[in-house]
Structure formats: C-alpha cells, structure tokens
C-alpha cells in the first residue's frame, strides 16, 4: 500500500520495491538482493520536494539514512560565481511543478529498475539561489556504495535532461540570461 502527500512545493511518495529487485554481483562474486537484508522491515521511499526554502544537505541525507544500508551517496549542485567570464551573483529557478514531480517520480522508478537502492530523495530549490548555496540535492541509500553512487550519477543526469526546470543567471553587471540545460531532450543545436 502506498501513501501520497502533496503540498504546493512538496511531494512524498512511499513505494514498494519491485517484487524481483535487480541482482548485482557482490564483491565475493555471488548475487544478492535487498530481500537478503530484511527488506520487509522498512519500506523503500522516494521523497521529492520543490521549494523556495534554502536546502539542507544534512536533512536530505538523514531522510534516506537506513540501518539496512551501508552507503548514502549525495549530489549537491551549487551556484558558482562565474559563467563564460561573467560574474554570477545568483541563479533563479522556475519549474512547472506537477510535470516536474511526475518526471522525478519516473526517474526514481528508473533508478529502482537499475540498482538495488533503499531510499531516494530529490530536492530542488526554486526562486533565487545565491552563490555557494545548493540548487539541487539528491541522496540515495543502498546496502553497498556502487549502487548508490551509480544511482545518484544517473539521477542528476536524468534530472537535467528531462525535468522542466528553467534557470536564469543573474550577473554582476545588472544583466541576466535564461539558460537551458544542454542535456535537455528538447534543446536544439546552436
């Protein structure tokens, strides 16, 4: 049974893992699955949040931490202070939230098909994000590091390519420009 909680900027969905989780080769050479480590004790969950509030890496990390897991892998995307020789003061993000949430849910489902992971959290900030603050935090827990590392790398690449989030760079010289992610499937060549 899954539960669903939605607010204007937050989506949290608990899902059951696939009935036959993918097998991977353990370091000893034998296959293993999440069922081998007490899967029934804790339901896997996907936590998705789009918010104008400052993101807490610690909070996102804690949301995926599990006693069943020996690894939590994180990706933290931050605002850098430069782009093509221009001084960046901040970024501004906009998203079509219903579509963005649906696409992130699909990404979480894809991750679960590819790796034996426990919990996934994807938080994306909206509005103004000053230099050095987090724009996106993705955290994944798994029994072993290879799964969570692969899942986090896949999740950020898929998010940048598929999720409808738009970014505007605000420069020191009072100019700005909307940017597209070069990974977006709808981006056309220059």
């Amino acid at each position: 049974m899954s539960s669903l909680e939605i607010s204007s900027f937050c989506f949290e969905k608990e899902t059951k893992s696939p009935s036959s989780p993918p097998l991977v080769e353990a370091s000893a050479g034998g296959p293993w699955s999440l069922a081998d480590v007490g899967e029934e004790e804790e339901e896997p969950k996907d936590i998705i949040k789009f918010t104008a509030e400052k993101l807490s890496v610690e909070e996102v990390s804690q949301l995926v931490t599990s006693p069943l897991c020996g690894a939590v892998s994180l990706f933290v995307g931050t605002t850098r202070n430069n782009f093509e020789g221009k001084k960046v003061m901040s970024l501004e993000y906009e998203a079509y939230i219903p579509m963005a949430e649906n696409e992130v849910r699909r990404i979480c489902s894809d991750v679960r098909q590819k790796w034996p992971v426990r919990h996934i959290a994807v938080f994306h900030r909206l509005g103004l994000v000053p230099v050095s603050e987090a724009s996106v935090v993705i955290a994944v827990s798994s029994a072993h590091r290879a799964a969570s590392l692969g899942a986090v790398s896949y999740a950020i690449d898929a998010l940048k390519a598929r999720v409808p989030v738009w970014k505007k760079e605000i420069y020191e010289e009072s100019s700005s420009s909307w940017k597209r992610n070069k990974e977006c499937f709808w981006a056309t060549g220059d």
Side-chain angles (χ1 to χ4, degrees), residues 17 23 37 52 58 61 67 76 84 88 99 111 116 139 141 146 167 173:
S17 62
L23 296 177
V37 292
E58 179 65 25
S61 177
V76 181
E84 294 182 352
V88 174
M99 185 184 279
V111 164
S141 59
K167 171 177 74 174
E173 64 272 3

PDB file of all heavy atoms in Angstrom, residues 17 23 37 52 58 61 67 76 84 88 99 111 116 139 141 146 167 173:
ATOM      1  N   SER A  17       9.373  -1.724  -3.212  1.00  0.00           N
ATOM      2  CA  SER A  17      10.401  -2.050  -4.182  1.00  0.00           C
ATOM      3  C   SER A  17       9.841  -3.104  -5.126  1.00  0.00           C
ATOM      4  O   SER A  17       8.851  -3.760  -4.827  1.00  0.00           O
ATOM      5  CB  SER A  17      11.653  -2.555  -3.470  1.00  0.00           C
ATOM      6  OG  SER A  17      11.358  -3.719  -2.773  1.00  0.00           O
ATOM      7  N   LEU A  23      19.372  -8.063  -9.446  1.00  0.00           N
ATOM      8  CA  LEU A  23      20.502  -8.696  -8.767  1.00  0.00           C
ATOM      9  C   LEU A  23      21.787  -8.044  -9.233  1.00  0.00           C
ATOM     10  O   LEU A  23      21.903  -7.640 -10.376  1.00  0.00           O
ATOM     11  CB  LEU A  23      20.544 -10.194  -9.088  1.00  0.00           C
ATOM     12  CG  LEU A  23      19.360 -11.018  -8.597  1.00  0.00           C
ATOM     13  CD1 LEU A  23      19.511 -12.463  -9.051  1.00  0.00           C
ATOM     14  CD2 LEU A  23      19.249 -10.950  -7.092  1.00  0.00           C
ATOM     15  N   VAL A  37      18.530  -8.794   3.097  1.00  0.00           N
ATOM     16  CA  VAL A  37      18.920  -7.991   4.252  1.00  0.00           C
ATOM     17  C   VAL A  37      17.725  -7.444   5.028  1.00  0.00           C
ATOM     18  O   VAL A  37      17.807  -6.405   5.652  1.00  0.00           O
ATOM     19  CB  VAL A  37      19.850  -6.827   3.835  1.00  0.00           C
ATOM     20  CG1 VAL A  37      21.185  -7.356   3.370  1.00  0.00           C
ATOM     21  CG2 VAL A  37      19.208  -5.943   2.789  1.00  0.00           C
ATOM     22  N   ALA A  52      11.058  26.910  -2.324  1.00  0.00           N
ATOM     23  CA  ALA A  52      11.771  28.189  -2.355  1.00  0.00           C
ATOM     24  C   ALA A  52      12.692  28.332  -1.146  1.00  0.00           C
ATOM     25  O   ALA A  52      13.496  29.260  -1.075  1.00  0.00           O
ATOM     26  CB  ALA A  52      10.775  29.349  -2.397  1.00  0.00           C
ATOM     27  N   GLU A  58      22.170  18.126   5.146  1.00  0.00           N
ATOM     28  CA  GLU A  58      22.034  17.218   6.297  1.00  0.00           C
ATOM     29  C   GLU A  58      20.621  16.635   6.373  1.00  0.00           C
ATOM     30  O   GLU A  58      20.446  15.437   6.592  1.00  0.00           O
ATOM     31  CB  GLU A  58      22.374  17.961   7.593  1.00  0.00           C
ATOM     32  CG  GLU A  58      22.248  17.106   8.841  1.00  0.00           C
ATOM     33  CD  GLU A  58      23.238  15.951   8.903  1.00  0.00           C
ATOM     34  OE1 GLU A  58      24.300  16.017   8.279  1.00  0.00           O
ATOM     35  OE2 GLU A  58      22.925  14.959   9.591  1.00  0.00           O
ATOM     36  N   SER A  61      20.127  14.089   3.561  1.00  0.00           N
ATOM     37  CA  SER A  61      20.906  12.893   3.878  1.00  0.00           C
ATOM     38  C   SER A  61      20.210  12.045   4.934  1.00  0.00           C
ATOM     39  O   SER A  61      20.113  10.817   4.812  1.00  0.00           O
ATOM     40  CB  SER A  61      22.302  13.298   4.346  1.00  0.00           C
ATOM     41  OG  SER A  61      23.048  12.171   4.723  1.00  0.00           O
ATOM     42  N   PRO A  67      19.166   1.816   8.691  1.00  0.00           N
ATOM     43  CA  PRO A  67      20.041   0.825   9.333  1.00  0.00           C
ATOM     44  C   PRO A  67      20.327  -0.371   8.424  1.00  0.00           C
ATOM     45  O   PRO A  67      21.254  -1.124   8.669  1.00  0.00           O
ATOM     46  CB  PRO A  67      19.254   0.405  10.578  1.00  0.00           C
ATOM     47  CG  PRO A  67      17.844   0.772  10.300  1.00  0.00           C
ATOM     48  CD  PRO A  67      17.876   1.940   9.368  1.00  0.00           C
ATOM     49  N   VAL A  76      25.269  17.361  -4.648  1.00  0.00           N
ATOM     50  CA  VAL A  76      24.838  18.699  -4.261  1.00  0.00           C
ATOM     51  C   VAL A  76      25.276  19.642  -5.366  1.00  0.00           C
ATOM     52  O   VAL A  76      26.477  19.820  -5.595  1.00  0.00           O
ATOM     53  CB  VAL A  76      25.457  19.124  -2.907  1.00  0.00           C
ATOM     54  CG1 VAL A  76      24.968  20.514  -2.519  1.00  0.00           C
ATOM     55  CG2 VAL A  76      25.148  18.102  -1.821  1.00  0.00           C
ATOM     56  N   GLU A  84      31.325  31.795 -18.291  1.00  0.00           N
ATOM     57  CA  GLU A  84      31.911  32.360 -19.508  1.00  0.00           C
ATOM     58  C   GLU A  84      32.471  33.766 -19.288  1.00  0.00           C
ATOM     59  O   GLU A  84      32.185  34.704 -20.036  1.00  0.00           O
ATOM     60  CB  GLU A  84      30.887  32.352 -20.638  1.00  0.00           C
ATOM     61  CG  GLU A  84      30.505  30.952 -21.060  1.00  0.00           C
ATOM     62  CD  GLU A  84      29.514  30.905 -22.215  1.00  0.00           C
ATOM     63  OE1 GLU A  84      28.979  31.960 -22.617  1.00  0.00           O
ATOM     64  OE2 GLU A  84      29.299  29.798 -22.720  1.00  0.00           O
ATOM     65  N   VAL A  88      28.679  35.832 -11.804  1.00  0.00           N
ATOM     66  CA  VAL A  88      27.303  35.451 -11.482  1.00  0.00           C
ATOM     67  C   VAL A  88      27.017  35.825 -10.030  1.00  0.00           C
ATOM     68  O   VAL A  88      27.789  35.491  -9.132  1.00  0.00           O
ATOM     69  CB  VAL A  88      27.084  33.935 -11.702  1.00  0.00           C
ATOM     70  CG1 VAL A  88      25.707  33.499 -11.236  1.00  0.00           C
ATOM     71  CG2 VAL A  88      27.317  33.573 -13.164  1.00  0.00           C
ATOM     72  N   MET A  99       4.400  18.712 -13.562  1.00  0.00           N
ATOM     73  CA  MET A  99       5.163  17.946 -14.547  1.00  0.00           C
ATOM     74  C   MET A  99       6.535  17.567 -13.999  1.00  0.00           C
ATOM     75  O   MET A  99       7.007  16.442 -14.219  1.00  0.00           O
ATOM     76  CB  MET A  99       5.315  18.752 -15.835  1.00  0.00           C
ATOM     77  CG  MET A  99       5.986  17.981 -16.959  1.00  0.00           C
ATOM     78  SD  MET A  99       6.242  19.005 -18.424  1.00  0.00           S
ATOM     79  CE  MET A  99       4.611  18.913 -19.139  1.00  0.00           C
ATOM     80  N   VAL A 111      15.670   4.459 -11.577  1.00  0.00           N
ATOM     81  CA  VAL A 111      16.768   4.134 -10.663  1.00  0.00           C
ATOM     82  C   VAL A 111      16.517   2.778 -10.021  1.00  0.00           C
ATOM     83  O   VAL A 111      17.404   1.922  -9.955  1.00  0.00           O
ATOM     84  CB  VAL A 111      16.949   5.236  -9.591  1.00  0.00           C
ATOM     85  CG1 VAL A 111      17.790   4.744  -8.420  1.00  0.00           C
ATOM     86  CG2 VAL A 111      17.566   6.483 -10.207  1.00  0.00           C
ATOM     87  N   PRO A 116      19.778  -1.778  -6.811  1.00  0.00           N
ATOM     88  CA  PRO A 116      19.066  -2.168  -5.587  1.00  0.00           C
ATOM     89  C   PRO A 116      19.257  -1.094  -4.506  1.00  0.00           C
ATOM     90  O   PRO A 116      20.145  -1.193  -3.663  1.00  0.00           O
ATOM     91  CB  PRO A 116      19.730  -3.492  -5.202  1.00  0.00           C
ATOM     92  CG  PRO A 116      21.140  -3.342  -5.716  1.00  0.00           C
ATOM     93  CD  PRO A 116      21.033  -2.523  -6.977  1.00  0.00           C
ATOM     94  N   ALA A 139      19.958  12.412  -2.846  1.00  0.00           N
ATOM     95  CA  ALA A 139      20.557  11.441  -1.926  1.00  0.00           C
ATOM     96  C   ALA A 139      19.942  10.072  -2.180  1.00  0.00           C
ATOM     97  O   ALA A 139      18.734   9.961  -2.399  1.00  0.00           O
ATOM     98  CB  ALA A 139      20.323  11.862  -0.479  1.00  0.00           C
ATOM     99  N   SER A 141      20.263   5.901  -0.718  1.00  0.00           N
ATOM    100  CA  SER A 141      20.877   4.922   0.182  1.00  0.00           C
ATOM    101  C   SER A 141      20.767   3.529  -0.426  1.00  0.00           C
ATOM    102  O   SER A 141      19.818   3.211  -1.144  1.00  0.00           O
ATOM    103  CB  SER A 141      20.216   4.959   1.561  1.00  0.00           C
ATOM    104  OG  SER A 141      18.838   4.677   1.479  1.00  0.00           O
ATOM    105  N   ALA A 146      28.397   1.000  -4.534  1.00  0.00           N
ATOM    106  CA  ALA A 146      28.311   1.011  -6.005  1.00  0.00           C
ATOM    107  C   ALA A 146      26.901   1.361  -6.472  1.00  0.00           C
ATOM    108  O   ALA A 146      26.737   2.145  -7.417  1.00  0.00           O
ATOM    109  CB  ALA A 146      28.753  -0.333  -6.581  1.00  0.00           C
ATOM    110  N   LYS A 167      16.412  27.913 -15.603  1.00  0.00           N
ATOM    111  CA  LYS A 167      17.400  28.625 -14.796  1.00  0.00           C
ATOM    112  C   LYS A 167      17.758  29.945 -15.462  1.00  0.00           C
ATOM    113  O   LYS A 167      18.047  29.984 -16.663  1.00  0.00           O
ATOM    114  CB  LYS A 167      18.645  27.739 -14.662  1.00  0.00           C
ATOM    115  CG  LYS A 167      19.843  28.400 -14.040  1.00  0.00           C
ATOM    116  CD  LYS A 167      20.997  27.431 -13.870  1.00  0.00           C
ATOM    117  CE  LYS A 167      21.695  27.102 -15.162  1.00  0.00           C
ATOM    118  NZ  LYS A 167      22.895  26.284 -14.974  1.00  0.00           N
ATOM    119  N   GLU A 173      26.856  42.777 -13.680  1.00  0.00           N
ATOM    120  CA  GLU A 173      26.645  43.997 -14.455  1.00  0.00           C
ATOM    121  C   GLU A 173      25.165  44.252 -14.759  1.00  0.00           C
ATOM    122  O   GLU A 173      24.830  44.861 -15.770  1.00  0.00           O
ATOM    123  CB  GLU A 173      27.477  43.987 -15.743  1.00  0.00           C
ATOM    124  CG  GLU A 173      27.110  42.899 -16.730  1.00  0.00           C
ATOM    125  CD  GLU A 173      27.840  41.587 -16.523  1.00  0.00           C
ATOM    126  OE1 GLU A 173      28.622  41.459 -15.564  1.00  0.00           O
ATOM    127  OE2 GLU A 173      27.627  40.661 -17.318  1.00  0.00           O
TER     128      GLU A 173
END
